[in-house]
């Protein structure tokens, strides 16, 4: 669990290897024709609905592991190589996640409200990516809106969105969904890069 590679990382590396092989063999991803293109109105609706659903939690204070992370990221920036050679202060190897956390700390400092709103926005972007993926899969307007809103409002999400220490999950979801979207569009290299970044979150 504290090593550089655990079972999740190994399975993710296997998925990346499969994607690299498929891309090298130039296997085109079959795309389902879309009946209606996704509109900015739909994405905006998912964005607003997500923010409204979580806004009431904006004043929740830090909890548990949050204080460990705040202390860790308050320290001066180490060299970039440090992130890729040393597990974080919590013992997990998440170099990209730790870099993004540091950037988030530079923006939010010790303000719970700013931390919460950056989490809400990340989750909203993830929900919009679900809509984009549903559109690529040929879902109807109702179907892709339902998919995005279900992802945004599902009861399994609040911990990752509201709890600061759950931010790693939001980062990993962002890159995982981006990787899937790129794969569906047939963009091999960006898909593989996004998957690697997600594993490192």
């Amino acid at each position: 669990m504290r090593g550089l590679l655990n079972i999740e990382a190994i399975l993710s590396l296997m998925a990346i290897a499969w994607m690299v092989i498929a891309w090298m063999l130039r296997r085109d991803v079959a795309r389902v024709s879309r009946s209606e293109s996704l509109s900015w109105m739909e994405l905006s609706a998912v964005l607003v609905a997500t923010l409204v659903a979580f806004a009431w939690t904006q004043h929740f204070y830090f909890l548990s592991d949050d204080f460990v992370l705040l202390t860790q990221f308050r320290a001066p920036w180490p060299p970039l190589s440090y992130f890729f050679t040393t597990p974080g202060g919590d013992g997990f190897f998440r170099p990209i996640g730790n870099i993004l956390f540091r950037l988030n700390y530079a923006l939010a400092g010790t303000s719970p409200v700013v931390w919460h709103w950056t989490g809400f926005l990340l989750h909203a972007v993830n929900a919009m990516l679900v809509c984009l993926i549903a559109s690529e899969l040929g879902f109807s307007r109702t179907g892709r809106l339902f998919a995005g809103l279900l992802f945004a409002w599902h009861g399994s999400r609040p911990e990752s969105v509201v709890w600061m220490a759950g931010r790693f999950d939001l980062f990993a979801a962002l890159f995982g969904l981006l990787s899937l979207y790129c794969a569906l569009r047939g963009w091999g290299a960006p898909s593989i890069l996004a998957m690697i970044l997600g594993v490192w979150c």
Side-chain angles (χ1 to χ4, degrees):
M1 192 163 161
R2 291 181 173 269
L4 295 183
L5 282 179
N6 57 21
I7 189 66
E8 293 170 350
I10 291 169
L11 290 174
S12 298
L13 289 173
M14 291 170 61
I16 292 168
W18 174 82
M19 291 173 68
V20 169
I21 292 168
W23 183 50
M24 288 174 65
L25 295 175
R26 306 203 187 284
R27 294 179 184 161
D28 295 328
V29 177
R31 292 178 57 204
V32 180
S33 62
R34 293 170 287 173
S35 54
E36 306 169 89
S37 61
L38 189 66
S39 72
W40 283 106
M41 288 294 289
E42 292 171 73
L43 292 176
S44 299
V46 171
L47 170 69
V48 171
T50 305
L51 297 179
V52 168
F54 286 96
W56 69 278
T57 66
Q58 66 183 313
H59 294 294
F60 285 12
Y61 199 62
F62 299 120
L63 175 71
S64 185
D65 294 350
D66 296 348
F67 297 102
V68 175
L69 293 168
L70 284 172
T71 302
Q72 175 186 345
F73 296 121
R74 186 177 295 145
W77 272 79
L80 192 59
S81 60
Y82 173 85
F83 293 102
F84 293 91
T85 56
T86 309
D90 54 4
F92 291 97
F93 181 73
R94 304 184 273 210
I96 299 300
N98 284 318
I99 290 170
L100 292 173
F101 237 110
R102 284 240 179 210
L103 293 171
N104 204 158
Y105 179 81
L107 172 69
T110 56
S111 168
V113 173
V114 180
W115 274 103
H116 284 311
W117 276 99
T118 54
F120 303 160
L121 287 170
L122 270 169
H123 184 52
V125 168
N126 289 344
M128 290 189 291
L129 278 169
V130 169
C131 285
L132 287 168
I133 290 167
S135 179
E136 286 300 312
L137 293 171
F139 283 39
S140 67
R141 177 169 292 157
T142 303
R144 58 191 179 228
L145 269 174
F146 178 77
L149 291 174
L150 179 64
F151 181 88
W153 293 345
H154 196 278
S156 65
R157 304 289 178 265
E159 181 177 280
S160 296
V161 179
V162 178
W163 185 29
M164 189 185 89
R167 188 65 43 93
F168 291 108
D169 297 340
L170 295 181
F171 292 146
L174 173 69
F175 290 116
L177 291 167
L178 191 59
S179 174
L180 182 56
Y181 176 71
C182 290
L184 289 170
R185 298 286 297 185
W187 302 335
S191 177
I192 292 165
L193 176 60
M195 177 64 79
I196 292 168
L197 293 174
V199 170
W200 280 344
C201 285

